[in-house]
Amino acid sequence: MAPLPADLPFQLISKTIGQGAYASVRKAIPLGRRNPVIAIKFINKDHAFRQGRLTPKQINMEVTLHAHLGKHQNIIQHLGHGEDQLWTWIAMELAEGGDLFDKVEADEGLPLDIAHFYFTQLISAVSYMHGKGIAHRDLKPENVLLGEDGDLKLADFGLAALFKKDGKSRLCNTICGSPPYIAPEVVNGRKSKRNDLLDNGYMPNICDIWSCGVVLFVLMVGNTPWDEPTMNSWEYKEYVDTDGRSSDELWAKIPPDLYSLLRGMLKVDPQQRFTLDEIRTHPWFTRDNPFINGKRKNRVEMATQMLSHLHIDLSQPPSQSQRGFSQPSQDPDAMEIDSTPHRSRAEPSSGLKITSTQPETPIADTPFDWERPPRLASHDGMSASQPSKAPIQSSAQLSQSTQDMLSQEPSMSQFKATPGVPLSLTQAANRFNDILPHYSLARFISPVTISHIIPLLCDALHRVNVPVPSLTANKSLAEQEAEWERLGEASIRVKMADGRRQGLNGHIVIERVWFDGQQMSEVRFVKASGDPLEWRRFFKEVTLWVGEVVLTT
């Protein structure tokens, strides 16, 4: 709530587009100009100190290290910084392609060549950082973004550390990172003095190698190999006990030629772990790939394949895809990062553990400060035709012109009976973003009104163990429904822990739209913070429970 600095050398042009524990990100443009559009990270000093125990020196370290990195095509570029009494701000390159892992199908991953393409770019970025003597220490999906042309952009250097200066290396002893991606030596070391510090340090650059291995695994299969690298996780324990020859079904999806690379990167003993040189010379890393050094049209093909892999089979009963979760750790001191996690085991009814949930309707009366993704369609004025009361299962009941418009919307392709991208969309595309937009595809259209869709969504949230308090606290149901319809929009705020017990927060936004003279509702799942792949999984779970009122093509 603190006022932002008044003398900023740029003009803010958006609401919040990203959020961390004590920082938020908004879009801006230079004063007196229309471009380039950049991103500004605002760090609240007092909040960072109280919530993150970060001193001014540590905040300045993030600024200094990010600036020191200079320019690399796969790293978000530092453009400037400043501060006042309340805030530190960092001006950065805007990742115009959005989150990479928002475009990865949960529990399926990416096509092989595309996963390889992004892994080589990740290694390029990490190699460059290490060459500058800087380790990232927080490599995870939330920090892997995309540029406008689909290139990977590594972001967020709040936990970065200088491990080499003037040719001399130093150890780190701070416990930091995200449990599914963190290296075992960080969490399993002795802590006799403070719970957040190790008695014996670790080499953060070697820890980055481990995290890159986990990210590669997720790119391939759409899930993490374990919830945390401790013996409290049965997946990790079996991996260790079998010397990397796990019987877990996820590992069965890894191609044989990639298996050896992953085992080398995920060596428990950091001294035996692959180096960057060993990774870059591994046969799987050096394999031919049509998307590497390819022409611009290859980026369109890459985006087309990625979009084709995003799909939700609404004909599948939700209960049939339930696999359950592994049991949470019983050792409260196993990790001092967030809460004790356990890996997501998809899918509907999977048992998301809740920290708190609060409905926010109408949205105009709430502090919903997020930049909303653009609507699929919005038509001014009301049609003379009355909304149909019968749910529409297919766009075939709409006019041909409306069907044609819907077929060009990327988010509609995920509900096709046969996954694919319309030829008309690919023929007109010249860039990666023409196929895959920067905004999240976690959205759907429903033919029912706001007052009808909200109870269905609330019931779906309950079914995935996200309880929603009463929506009619101080009003009658009729009064609340009338207000939703009058405003034409509503929002349900969701705050939960994902399947690995990591924070996952955002809003489900419902807005009235019109198609072919018929009133419908557009439902968008807007993530505030948390793993984008976990948010995708959450969206899929809820959507399957309300599938009978989802408009399909």
Side-chain angles (χ1 to χ4, degrees), residues 37 72-77 93-101 103 117-118 121 143-155 296 299 302-303 306 431-439:
V37 179
H72 185 276
Q73 68 169 359
N74 299 125
I75 295 176
I76 292 293
Q77 185 180 0
E93 171 189 5
L94 177 66
E96 297 180 275
D99 288 318
L100 167 59
F101 283 84
K103 300 165 179 62
F117 171 83
Y118 282 121
Q121 292 200 331
N143 296 332
V144 181
L145 309 178
L146 292 179
E148 182 180 17
D149 58 358
D151 280 323
L152 179 145
K153 297 285 185 177
L154 189 57
R296 180 173 293 272
R299 296 301 176 89
M302 188 168 72
M306 292 173 70
R431 304 175 305 164
F432 182 92
N433 274 7
D434 292 336
I435 301 293
L436 271 176
H438 70 278
Y439 56 82

Side-chain angles (χ1 to χ4, degrees), residues 72-75 100-101 115-130 136 138-141 143-145 151-155 181 208-217 219 265 276 279-280 285:
H72 185 276
Q73 68 169 359
N74 299 125
I75 295 176
L100 167 59
F101 283 84
H116 176 260
F117 171 83
Y118 282 121
F119 179 67
T120 60
Q121 292 200 331
L122 175 63
I123 292 300
S124 177
V126 172
S127 298
Y128 177 81
M129 288 190 66
H130 290 184
H136 191 281
D138 197 22
L139 295 169
K140 59 183 179 180
N143 296 332
V144 181
L145 309 178
D151 280 323
L152 179 145
K153 297 285 185 177
L154 189 57
Y181 300 88
D208 278 354
I209 299 297
W210 176 280
S211 300
C212 286
V214 178
V215 170
L216 173 57
F217 188 95
L219 284 170
M265 298 179 69
L276 285 170
I279 294 171
R280 288 188 293 250
F285 189 90

Side-chain angles (χ1 to χ4, degrees), residues 254-414:
I254 301 297
D257 55 344
L258 172 56
Y259 211 106
S260 64
L261 174 58
L262 278 172
R263 289 184 63 223
M265 298 179 69
L266 298 175
K267 285 288 185 182
V268 175
D269 182 352
Q271 299 302 318
Q272 298 181 22
R273 200 169 297 158
F274 273 7
T275 64
L276 285 170
D277 284 340
E278 289 175 307
I279 294 171
R280 288 188 293 250
T281 57
H282 190 276
W284 189 85
F285 189 90
T286 59
R287 63 186 293 276
D288 290 336
N289 188 332
F291 297 123
I292 296 179
N293 298 323
K295 297 180 180 179
R296 180 173 293 272
K297 66 178 182 180
N298 284 355
R299 296 301 176 89
V300 173
E301 171 61 24
M302 188 168 72
T304 301
Q305 288 189 27
M306 292 173 70
L307 182 57
S308 297
H309 269 67
L310 295 175
H311 63 90
I312 302 176
D313 185 1
L314 295 176
S315 66
Q316 179 182 9
S319 59
Q320 290 187 1
S321 61
Q322 180 181 358
R323 293 190 296 174
F325 286 95
S326 57
Q327 290 299 310
S329 167
Q330 300 301 312
D331 179 5
D333 295 323
M335 306 193 71
E336 287 76 31
I337 307 164
D338 288 342
S339 54
T340 306
H342 59 173
R343 187 175 72 190
S344 290
R345 284 295 201 171
E347 275 68 71
S349 299
S350 58
L352 291 171
K353 306 302 181 182
I354 304 311
T355 53
S356 65
T357 298
Q358 180 180 350
E360 294 183 348
T361 49
I363 195 171
D365 297 332
T366 70
F368 182 79
D369 189 45
W370 287 82
E371 181 181 51
R372 305 186 203 177
R375 291 183 178 183
L376 177 59
S378 179
H379 303 280
D380 296 329
M382 295 183 63
S383 168
S385 59
Q386 295 297 313
S388 170
K389 294 182 179 180
I392 298 175
Q393 295 299 321
S394 171
S395 62
Q397 294 173 254
L398 300 175
S399 69
Q400 186 60 51
S401 61
T402 303
Q403 291 183 54
D404 291 342
M405 181 202 65
L406 289 173
S407 70
Q408 300 303 304
E409 166 54 35
S411 65
M412 294 296 290
S413 69
Q414 62 193 320

